[in-house]
mmCIF file with all atom_site columns, all heavy atoms in Angstrom:
data_model
loop_
_atom_site.group_PDB
_atom_site.id
_atom_site.type_symbol
_atom_site.label_atom_id
_atom_site.label_alt_id
_atom_site.label_comp_id
_atom_site.label_asym_id
_atom_site.label_entity_id
_atom_site.label_seq_id
_atom_site.pdbx_PDB_ins_code
_atom_site.Cartn_x
_atom_site.Cartn_y
_atom_site.Cartn_z
_atom_site.occupancy
_atom_site.B_iso_or_equiv
_atom_site.pdbx_formal_charge
_atom_site.auth_seq_id
_atom_site.auth_comp_id
_atom_site.auth_asym_id
_atom_site.auth_atom_id
_atom_site.pdbx_PDB_model_num
ATOM   1  N  N   . GLN B 1 148 ? -0.741  10.630 -23.837 1.00 83.00 ? 148 GLN B N   1
ATOM   2  C  CA  . GLN B 1 148 ? -1.396  10.588 -25.135 1.00 83.00 ? 148 GLN B CA  1
ATOM   3  C  C   . GLN B 1 148 ? -0.381  10.592 -26.276 1.00 83.00 ? 148 GLN B C   1
ATOM   4  O  O   . GLN B 1 148 ? -0.579  9.946  -27.297 1.00 83.00 ? 148 GLN B O   1
ATOM   5  C  CB  . GLN B 1 148 ? -2.344  11.776 -25.283 1.00 83.00 ? 148 GLN B CB  1
ATOM   6  C  CG  . GLN B 1 148 ? -3.330  11.534 -26.390 1.00 83.00 ? 148 GLN B CG  1
ATOM   7  C  CD  . GLN B 1 148 ? -4.058  12.783 -26.763 1.00 83.00 ? 148 GLN B CD  1
ATOM   8  O  OE1 . GLN B 1 148 ? -3.461  13.742 -27.250 1.00 83.00 ? 148 GLN B OE1 1
ATOM   9  N  NE2 . GLN B 1 148 ? -5.367  12.793 -26.541 1.00 83.00 ? 148 GLN B NE2 1
ATOM   10 N  N   . CYS B 1 282 ? -11.991 9.676  -27.276 1.00 82.00 ? 282 CYS B N   1
ATOM   11 C  CA  . CYS B 1 282 ? -12.301 11.097 -27.132 1.00 82.00 ? 282 CYS B CA  1
ATOM   12 C  C   . CYS B 1 282 ? -12.875 11.612 -28.445 1.00 82.00 ? 282 CYS B C   1
ATOM   13 O  O   . CYS B 1 282 ? -12.301 11.394 -29.508 1.00 82.00 ? 282 CYS B O   1
ATOM   14 C  CB  . CYS B 1 282 ? -11.037 11.861 -26.767 1.00 82.00 ? 282 CYS B CB  1
ATOM   15 S  SG  . CYS B 1 282 ? -11.215 13.647 -26.904 1.00 82.00 ? 282 CYS B SG  1
ATOM   16 N  N   . GLN B 1 283 ? -14.030 12.265 -28.355 1.00 82.00 ? 283 GLN B N   1
ATOM   17 C  CA  . GLN B 1 283 ? -14.657 12.715 -29.596 1.00 82.00 ? 283 GLN B CA  1
ATOM   18 C  C   . GLN B 1 283 ? -13.950 13.902 -30.233 1.00 82.00 ? 283 GLN B C   1
ATOM   19 O  O   . GLN B 1 283 ? -14.170 14.229 -31.385 1.00 82.00 ? 283 GLN B O   1
ATOM   20 C  CB  . GLN B 1 283 ? -16.139 13.045 -29.334 1.00 82.00 ? 283 GLN B CB  1
ATOM   21 C  CG  . GLN B 1 283 ? -16.980 11.774 -29.457 1.00 82.00 ? 283 GLN B CG  1
ATOM   22 C  CD  . GLN B 1 283 ? -18.232 11.823 -28.623 1.00 82.00 ? 283 GLN B CD  1
ATOM   23 O  OE1 . GLN B 1 283 ? -18.684 12.894 -28.229 1.00 82.00 ? 283 GLN B OE1 1
ATOM   24 N  NE2 . GLN B 1 283 ? -18.798 10.666 -28.363 1.00 82.00 ? 283 GLN B NE2 1
ATOM   25 N  N   . THR B 1 284 ? -13.085 14.545 -29.462 1.00 82.00 ? 284 THR B N   1
ATOM   26 C  CA  . THR B 1 284 ? -12.356 15.686 -30.008 1.00 82.00 ? 284 THR B CA  1
ATOM   27 C  C   . THR B 1 284 ? -11.091 15.258 -30.744 1.00 82.00 ? 284 THR B C   1
ATOM   28 O  O   . THR B 1 284 ? -10.832 15.681 -31.858 1.00 82.00 ? 284 THR B O   1
ATOM   29 C  CB  . THR B 1 284 ? -11.998 16.669 -28.882 1.00 82.00 ? 284 THR B CB  1
ATOM   30 O  OG1 . THR B 1 284 ? -13.144 16.844 -28.058 1.00 82.00 ? 284 THR B OG1 1
ATOM   31 C  CG2 . THR B 1 284 ? -11.550 18.007 -29.444 1.00 82.00 ? 284 THR B CG2 1
ATOM   32 N  N   . CYS B 1 285 ? -10.315 14.363 -30.104 1.00 83.00 ? 285 CYS B N   1
ATOM   33 C  CA  . CYS B 1 285 ? -9.028  14.029 -30.710 1.00 83.00 ? 285 CYS B CA  1
ATOM   34 C  C   . CYS B 1 285 ? -8.957  12.583 -31.188 1.00 83.00 ? 285 CYS B C   1
ATOM   35 O  O   . CYS B 1 285 ? -8.020  12.224 -31.894 1.00 83.00 ? 285 CYS B O   1
ATOM   36 C  CB  . CYS B 1 285 ? -7.889  14.307 -29.729 1.00 83.00 ? 285 CYS B CB  1
ATOM   37 S  SG  . CYS B 1 285 ? -7.905  13.210 -28.307 1.00 83.00 ? 285 CYS B SG  1
ATOM   38 N  N   . GLY B 1 286 ? -9.910  11.741 -30.770 1.00 80.00 ? 286 GLY B N   1
ATOM   39 C  CA  . GLY B 1 286 ? -9.920  10.370 -31.252 1.00 80.00 ? 286 GLY B CA  1
ATOM   40 C  C   . GLY B 1 286 ? -9.025  9.412  -30.502 1.00 80.00 ? 286 GLY B C   1
ATOM   41 O  O   . GLY B 1 286 ? -8.858  8.273  -30.904 1.00 80.00 ? 286 GLY B O   1
ATOM   42 N  N   . PHE B 1 287 ? -8.441  9.853  -29.375 1.00 79.00 ? 287 PHE B N   1
ATOM   43 C  CA  . PHE B 1 287 ? -7.613  8.939  -28.611 1.00 79.00 ? 287 PHE B CA  1
ATOM   44 C  C   . PHE B 1 287 ? -8.334  8.417  -27.383 1.00 79.00 ? 287 PHE B C   1
ATOM   45 O  O   . PHE B 1 287 ? -9.333  8.985  -26.936 1.00 79.00 ? 287 PHE B O   1
ATOM   46 C  CB  . PHE B 1 287 ? -6.265  9.573  -28.268 1.00 79.00 ? 287 PHE B CB  1
ATOM   47 C  CG  . PHE B 1 287 ? -5.347  9.553  -29.450 1.00 79.00 ? 287 PHE B CG  1
ATOM   48 C  CD1 . PHE B 1 287 ? -5.358  10.591 -30.383 1.00 79.00 ? 287 PHE B CD1 1
ATOM   49 C  CD2 . PHE B 1 287 ? -4.539  8.453  -29.681 1.00 79.00 ? 287 PHE B CD2 1
ATOM   50 C  CE1 . PHE B 1 287 ? -4.561  10.538 -31.506 1.00 79.00 ? 287 PHE B CE1 1
ATOM   51 C  CE2 . PHE B 1 287 ? -3.740  8.398  -30.801 1.00 79.00 ? 287 PHE B CE2 1
ATOM   52 C  CZ  . PHE B 1 287 ? -3.742  9.440  -31.717 1.00 79.00 ? 287 PHE B CZ  1
ATOM   53 N  N   . SER B 1 289 ? -9.726  7.508  -23.904 1.00 76.00 ? 289 SER B N   1
ATOM   54 C  CA  . SER B 1 289 ? -9.904  8.331  -22.719 1.00 76.00 ? 289 SER B CA  1
ATOM   55 C  C   . SER B 1 289 ? -11.023 7.766  -21.864 1.00 76.00 ? 289 SER B C   1
ATOM   56 O  O   . SER B 1 289 ? -11.890 7.049  -22.336 1.00 76.00 ? 289 SER B O   1
ATOM   57 C  CB  . SER B 1 289 ? -10.261 9.751  -23.146 1.00 76.00 ? 289 SER B CB  1
ATOM   58 O  OG  . SER B 1 289 ? -10.795 10.453 -22.057 1.00 76.00 ? 289 SER B OG  1
ATOM   59 N  N   . PRO B 1 293 ? -14.586 15.646 -23.052 1.00 82.00 ? 293 PRO B N   1
ATOM   60 C  CA  . PRO B 1 293 ? -13.446 15.259 -23.885 1.00 82.00 ? 293 PRO B CA  1
ATOM   61 C  C   . PRO B 1 293 ? -12.309 14.763 -23.007 1.00 82.00 ? 293 PRO B C   1
ATOM   62 O  O   . PRO B 1 293 ? -12.399 14.877 -21.800 1.00 82.00 ? 293 PRO B O   1
ATOM   63 C  CB  . PRO B 1 293 ? -13.076 16.574 -24.584 1.00 82.00 ? 293 PRO B CB  1
ATOM   64 C  CG  . PRO B 1 293 ? -13.590 17.645 -23.700 1.00 82.00 ? 293 PRO B CG  1
ATOM   65 C  CD  . PRO B 1 293 ? -14.774 17.094 -22.992 1.00 82.00 ? 293 PRO B CD  1
ATOM   66 N  N   . CYS B 1 294 ? -11.259 14.200 -23.614 1.00 81.00 ? 294 CYS B N   1
ATOM   67 C  CA  . CYS B 1 294 ? -10.195 13.627 -22.813 1.00 81.00 ? 294 CYS B CA  1
ATOM   68 C  C   . CYS B 1 294 ? -9.431  14.722 -22.083 1.00 81.00 ? 294 CYS B C   1
ATOM   69 O  O   . CYS B 1 294 ? -9.531  15.896 -22.406 1.00 81.00 ? 294 CYS B O   1
ATOM   70 C  CB  . CYS B 1 294 ? -9.249  12.803 -23.679 1.00 81.00 ? 294 CYS B CB  1
ATOM   71 S  SG  . CYS B 1 294 ? -8.100  13.789 -24.654 1.00 81.00 ? 294 CYS B SG  1
ATOM   72 N  N   . LYS B 1 295 ? -8.668  14.252 -21.101 1.00 81.00 ? 295 LYS B N   1
ATOM   73 C  CA  . LYS B 1 295 ? -7.897  15.175 -20.263 1.00 81.00 ? 295 LYS B CA  1
ATOM   74 C  C   . LYS B 1 295 ? -6.977  16.070 -21.090 1.00 81.00 ? 295 LYS B C   1
ATOM   75 O  O   . LYS B 1 295 ? -6.872  17.271 -20.847 1.00 81.00 ? 295 LYS B O   1
ATOM   76 C  CB  . LYS B 1 295 ? -7.052  14.326 -19.310 1.00 81.00 ? 295 LYS B CB  1
ATOM   77 C  CG  . LYS B 1 295 ? -6.548  15.067 -18.129 1.00 81.00 ? 295 LYS B CG  1
ATOM   78 C  CD  . LYS B 1 295 ? -7.671  15.301 -17.171 1.00 81.00 ? 295 LYS B CD  1
ATOM   79 C  CE  . LYS B 1 295 ? -7.405  16.583 -16.449 1.00 81.00 ? 295 LYS B CE  1
ATOM   80 N  NZ  . LYS B 1 295 ? -8.630  17.109 -15.868 1.00 81.00 ? 295 LYS B NZ  1
ATOM   81 N  N   . ALA B 1 296 ? -6.311  15.473 -22.063 1.00 83.00 ? 296 ALA B N   1
ATOM   82 C  CA  . ALA B 1 296 ? -5.364  16.257 -22.860 1.00 83.00 ? 296 ALA B CA  1
ATOM   83 C  C   . ALA B 1 296 ? -6.102  17.379 -23.580 1.00 83.00 ? 296 ALA B C   1
ATOM   84 O  O   . ALA B 1 296 ? -5.639  18.518 -23.628 1.00 83.00 ? 296 ALA B O   1
ATOM   85 C  CB  . ALA B 1 296 ? -4.653  15.346 -23.863 1.00 83.00 ? 296 ALA B CB  1
ATOM   86 N  N   . CYS B 1 297 ? -7.284  17.045 -24.115 1.00 85.00 ? 297 CYS B N   1
ATOM   87 C  CA  . CYS B 1 297 ? -8.056  18.065 -24.834 1.00 85.00 ? 297 CYS B CA  1
ATOM   88 C  C   . CYS B 1 297 ? -8.522  19.174 -23.893 1.00 85.00 ? 297 CYS B C   1
ATOM   89 O  O   . CYS B 1 297 ? -8.521  20.340 -24.262 1.00 85.00 ? 297 CYS B O   1
ATOM   90 C  CB  . CYS B 1 297 ? -9.259  17.423 -25.539 1.00 85.00 ? 297 CYS B CB  1
ATOM   91 S  SG  . CYS B 1 297 ? -8.761  16.489 -26.999 1.00 85.00 ? 297 CYS B SG  1
ATOM   92 N  N   . VAL B 1 298 ? -8.929  18.807 -22.686 1.00 84.00 ? 298 VAL B N   1
ATOM   93 C  CA  . VAL B 1 298 ? -9.380  19.822 -21.722 1.00 84.00 ? 298 VAL B CA  1
ATOM   94 C  C   . VAL B 1 298 ? -8.233  20.747 -21.346 1.00 84.00 ? 298 VAL B C   1
ATOM   95 O  O   . VAL B 1 298 ? -8.368  21.978 -21.357 1.00 84.00 ? 298 VAL B O   1
ATOM   96 C  CB  . VAL B 1 298 ? -9.964  19.162 -20.450 1.00 84.00 ? 298 VAL B CB  1
ATOM   97 C  CG1 . VAL B 1 298 ? -10.303 20.213 -19.404 1.00 84.00 ? 298 VAL B CG1 1
ATOM   98 C  CG2 . VAL B 1 298 ? -11.200 18.349 -20.787 1.00 84.00 ? 298 VAL B CG2 1
HETATM 99 ZN ZN1 . ZN  C 2 .   ? -9.137  14.313 -26.734 1.00 54.95 ? 4   ZN  C ZN1 1
#
Side-chain angles (χ1 to χ4, degrees):
Chain B
Q148 198 193 64
C282 168
Q283 274 153 20
T284 315
C285 67
F287 282 88
S289 164
C294 77
K295 198 74 211 160
C297 286
V298 175

